[in-house]
């Protein structure tokens, strides 16, 4: 779980959903009604020491033979406090993020997309016409200023332009009389000839490299002056016809500081500039990511364009982490006189054609972009209109929808317990909330069962021809398992769920998808389509590392896997993404329990035909070997059980909770670090070595478990699970271990005589001898082996409950 979610750049609300420790006092005193912190409050902590050299940073993003198979989903580095990052230093995480940026810009970046600027245009036709009109007026005003100065002659900038000054003074006087009634009026003074010199010197800047190139720091104020010019001109354009439309607009200016480590970052990176709504700027306050509309990366010349894209990618992750209602993000690169707008979608980045402000066409395009951003609807900037701030009651509200039902529920947001700290992917966010009201057009909304709920907001991948749908799965689970009291609280009970609906064209509602975002651009749709889904569920759990002991971890793990087994048996739904984040802790009057969540990657087992290679799903350190290798072997429950073993090994090594974690351990010296570093094939090979035998598992992993009380119980459990999965005595030698085995007839007979055959024979006797891969053989008897694994975990759970009861006496 993460720790730095903030509010969007709304003029109406400036209230953080949660605040970090370092700015809590400031936020509580000056902001309106902050939502109280949830139970999850991890903070940035001192990183363990590392001796890893730069050469040991494996080729995680592209050195393997299967580079083309690597997807943005599988390479995200995540939040700096993520469990998988606890073994890395800050500099290592930063380098991983830099590598991620380089890879994504190389593989998932579209340049010179002429349709990008169209996405900034208002959807409403009246607004769009107004934006065009104002853009042309401001552009003409700019050209009146630029023309008298000789292009390429910096000295001409300082020469007075009498005709312009006369017109400028007249217009300024007329605008001053209207300033009080203009909704875009600002407290900043109107630009003077001195400030004109700033952006004029940028426009007339000669393109040069090396020592003759202008310093980046000298460009900041010049770019900011250009943007301020457009904002000031917009503030004057107010008449009786425009006032109503402009009242909902924003004044986009540069943040007050340049080259800064903005508030809300989880690292120490510094951004050059950022654009924000002027209403959010506070005198003397440090710029905040939660207020930023777009980040601006400045470089001296066009030759630095790729470097600018890399850095912009790295910084934009903080936009998503701090603005929990951000659907997509914008960014700008300024390289010399060339400006480029970047649109950050969930699986790719699209860059506009370059706008050269030294040319009239480039200036016109840039002015039009700034005006469109100022006047367009909030959703065109990437914000979610269904998550909004209530100024009267001073709280955040979230709308939730039900599938096939026209109505909606509105919830009051209490806290956020997971933010989105990545540029690509699902951008999963989780909120705790209470029901405010229900609005149904047909009166057929199902009544809410819980007063306090968890709202999950995510952009789910919709593969071509795929029928995967978490909402549909949870509806089916609720219908088939809702009456089983023994499983109550071990899986999410769906209160409501559907694709988010936002305003479309012609005053109609539209489903929020990547296709809807790009609608009207006449451009190519991305290969990866996503739907914006929102689910309302109960009960509310806590992160897995909130357990107080190893025994509590064992109890929670059993409940989660018991739910996994029941859902597979009764609903034929296979989870396929067992990870630390997807097992939660539930505490109630009956004690501690566990809950299995996140069915985004789940699939109906009947949907797998075996004709297509299974797709890779999950989190790299916890993925099964077959999953990592993207083998042709069908996915079964055994892959999820294998993931559980890796989770227990990970927590046994670093500590099951924050109190058990040590900062003095050099994690790079531990073999388990190989489960995180490298591409999927490298990680699969490392796991295969460790899983060769119980001895290799013990010598490589179990021997490094924390030397604390009760951790021997966790080691014993892992060893028992390993023996039931990889070395089960109920199966023949052909189905054991990790490598294919080919035996001659005599050798097989001799080994069979040395092996104790269980009563009734081996359970894999019916499997063809032509299948030599032990993973494939075990997949054929997955149900039988899963029963053995659950029985082992149940016995460990019962023993753990006894120890918990004994300690509480």
């Amino acid at each position: 779980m993460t720790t730095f979610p903030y509010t969007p750049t709304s003029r109406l609300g400036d209230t953080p959903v949660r605040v970090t420790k370092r700015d809590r006092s400031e936020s509580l005193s000056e902001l309106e009604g902050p939502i109280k912190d949830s139970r999850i409050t991890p903070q940035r902590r001192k990183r363990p020491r590392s001796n890893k050299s730069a050469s040991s940073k494996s080729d995680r993003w592209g050195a393997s033979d299967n580079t083309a198979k690597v997807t943005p989903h599988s390479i995200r580095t995540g939040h700096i406090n993520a469990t998988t990052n606890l073994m890395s230093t800050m500099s290592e995480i930063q380098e991983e993020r830099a590598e991620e940026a380089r890879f994504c810009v190389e593989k998932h970046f579209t340049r010179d997309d002429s349709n990008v600027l169209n996405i900034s245009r208002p959807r409403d036709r009246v607004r769009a016409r107004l934006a065009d009109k104002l853009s042309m007026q401001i552009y003409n005003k700019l050209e009146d200023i630029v023309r008298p100065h000789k292009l390429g002659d910096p000295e001409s900038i300082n020469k007075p332009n009498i005709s312009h000054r006369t017109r400028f003074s007249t217009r300024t006087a007329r605008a001053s009389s209207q300033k009080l009634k203009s909704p875009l009026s600002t407290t900043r003074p109107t630009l003077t000839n001195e400030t004109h010199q700033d952006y004029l010197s940028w426009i007339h800047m000669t393109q040069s490299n090396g020592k003759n190139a202008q310093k980046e720091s000298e460009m900041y104020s010049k770019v900011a002056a250009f943007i301020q010019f457009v904002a000031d001109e917009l503030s004057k354009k107010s008449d009786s016809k425009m006032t109503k439309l402009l009242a909902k607009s924003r004044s986009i200016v540069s943040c007050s500081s340049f080259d800064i480590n903005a508030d809300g970052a989880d690292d120490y990176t510094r951004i050059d500039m950022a654009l924000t709504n002027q209403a959010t700027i506070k005198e003397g306050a440090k710029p905040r990511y939660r207020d930023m509309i777009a980040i601006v990366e400045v470089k001296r010349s066009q030759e630095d364009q790729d470097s600018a894209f890399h850095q912009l990618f790295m910084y934009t992750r903080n936009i998503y982490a701090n603005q929990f209602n951000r659907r997509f993000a914008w960014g700008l690169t300024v390289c010399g006189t060339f400006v480029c707008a970047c649109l950050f979608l969930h699986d790719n980045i699209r860059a506009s054609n370059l706008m050269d402000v030294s040319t009239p066409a480039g200036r016109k395009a840039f002015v039009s972009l700034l005006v469109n951003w100022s006047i367009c609807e909030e959703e065109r900037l990437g914000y979610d209109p269904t998550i909004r701030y209530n100024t009267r009651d001073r709280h955040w509200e979230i709308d939730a929808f039900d599938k096939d039902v026209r109505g909606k529920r509105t919830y009051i947001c209490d806290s956020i317990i997971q933010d989105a700290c990545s540029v690509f992917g699902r951008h999963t966010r989780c909120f705790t909330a209470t029901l405010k009201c229900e609005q149904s057009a047909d009166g057929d909304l199902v009544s809410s069962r819980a007063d306090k709920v968890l709202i999950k907001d995510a952009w789910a991948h919709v593969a071509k021809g795929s029928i995967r749908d978490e909402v549909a799965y949870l509806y089916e689970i609720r219908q088939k398992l809702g009456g089983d009291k023994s499983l109550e609280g071990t899986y999410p009970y769906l209160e409501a769920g559907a694709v988010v609906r936002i305003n479309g064209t012609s005053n109609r509602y539209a489903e929020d998808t990547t296709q809807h975002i790009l609608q009207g651009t006449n451009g190519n749709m991305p290969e990866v389509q996503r739907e914006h889904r929102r689910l309302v569920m109960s009960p509310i759990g806590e992160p897995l590392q909130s357990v107080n002991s190893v025994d509590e971890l064992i109890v929670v793990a059993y409940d989660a896997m018991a739910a996994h087994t029941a859902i597979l048996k009764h609903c034929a739904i296979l989870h396929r993404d067992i990870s630390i984040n997807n097992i939660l802790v539930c505490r109630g009057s009956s004690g501690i329990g566990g809950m299995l969540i996140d069915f985004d990657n789940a699939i109906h087992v009947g949907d797998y035909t075996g004709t297509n290679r299974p797709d890779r799903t999950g989190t790299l350190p916890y993925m099964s070997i077959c999953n990592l290798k993207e083998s042709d072997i069908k996915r079964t429950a055994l892959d999820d059980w294998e993931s559980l073993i890796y989770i227990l090994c990970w927590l046994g090594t670093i500590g099951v909770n924050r109190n058990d974690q040590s900062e003095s351990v050099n994690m790079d010296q531990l073999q388990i670090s190989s489960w995180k570093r490298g591409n999927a094939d490298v990680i699969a090979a490392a796991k295969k070595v460790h899983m060769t035998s119980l001895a290799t598992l013990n010598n490589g992993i179990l021997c490094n478990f924390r030397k604390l009380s009760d951790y021997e119980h966790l080691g014993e459990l892992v060893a028992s699970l390993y023996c039931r999965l990889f070395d089960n005595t109920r199966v023949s030698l052909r189905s054991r271990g990790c490598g294919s085995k080919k035996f001659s007839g005599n050798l097989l007979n001799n080994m069979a005589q040395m092996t104790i055959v269980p009563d009734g024979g081996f359970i894999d006797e019916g499997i063809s001898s032509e299948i030599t891969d032990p993973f494939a053989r075990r997949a054929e008897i997955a149900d039988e082996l899963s029963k053995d694994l659950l029985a082992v975990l149940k016995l460990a759970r019962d023993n753990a409950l006894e120890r918990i009861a004994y300690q509480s006496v």
Side-chain angles (χ1 to χ4, degrees), residues 91-107:
S91 61
E92 289 169 354
I93 294 173
Q94 285 299 95
E95 183 158 346
E96 278 198 351
R97 289 180 173 180
E99 283 296 317
E100 176 189 7
R102 283 190 285 270
F103 174 83
C104 290
V105 169
E106 178 184 352
K107 299 293 184 181

Side-chain angles (χ1 to χ4, degrees), residues 386-447:
T386 63
I387 301 178
R388 61 194 171 275
Y389 185 72
N390 185 320
T391 54
R392 185 187 65 182
D393 299 327
R394 297 187 176 183
H395 60 237
W396 283 90
E397 296 179 351
I398 303 176
D399 291 335
F401 308 89
D402 241 343
K403 196 173 184 179
D404 301 326
V405 177
R406 293 175 57 190
K408 67 177 181 180
R409 291 187 177 97
T410 300
Y411 290 85
I412 299 173
C413 180
D414 299 321
S415 64
I416 178 169
I417 58 177
Q418 179 174 328
D419 64 31
C421 189
S422 63
V423 178
F424 286 164
R426 290 181 290 172
H427 290 171
T428 301
R429 300 173 172 99
C430 294
F431 312 86
T432 60
T434 52
L435 181 65
K436 178 184 178 183
C437 62
E438 298 178 343
Q439 299 173 1
S440 175
D442 304 318
D444 53 358
L445 272 177
V446 178
S447 299

Side-chain angles (χ1 to χ4, degrees), residues 203-222:
I203 290 173
H204 293 289
M205 187 178 76
T206 56
Q207 296 295 324
S208 58
N209 302 315
K211 295 181 179 179
N212 296 326
Q214 191 169 186
K215 294 181 179 179
E216 291 180 13
S217 57
E218 296 175 353
M219 296 176 59
Y220 300 153
S221 61
K222 300 173 182 180

Side-chain angles (χ1 to χ4, degrees), residues 48 99 245 259 401 457 476 567 603 613 618 644 678 756 806:
E99 283 296 317
L245 288 174
D259 188 23
F401 308 89
D457 188 90
E476 182 177 354
I567 291 170
I603 192 171
R613 173 173 292 186
L644 178 68
I756 300 177
Y806 178 78

Side-chain angles (χ1 to χ4, degrees), residues 447-487:
S447 299
S448 179
R449 188 181 75 164
D451 294 329
K452 191 95 166 178
V453 297
L454 181 135
I455 298 178
K456 175 184 175 181
D457 188 90
W459 286 79
H461 177 208
V462 183
K464 188 175 182 180
S466 172
I467 58 173
R468 282 180 7 210
D469 185 347
E470 184 181 22
V471 176
Y473 291 156
L474 291 181
Y475 270 123
E476 182 177 354
I477 293 170
R478 184 181 74 178
Q479 180 181 9
K480 294 183 178 180
L481 299 182
D484 191 339
K485 296 299 182 181
S486 65
L487 293 173

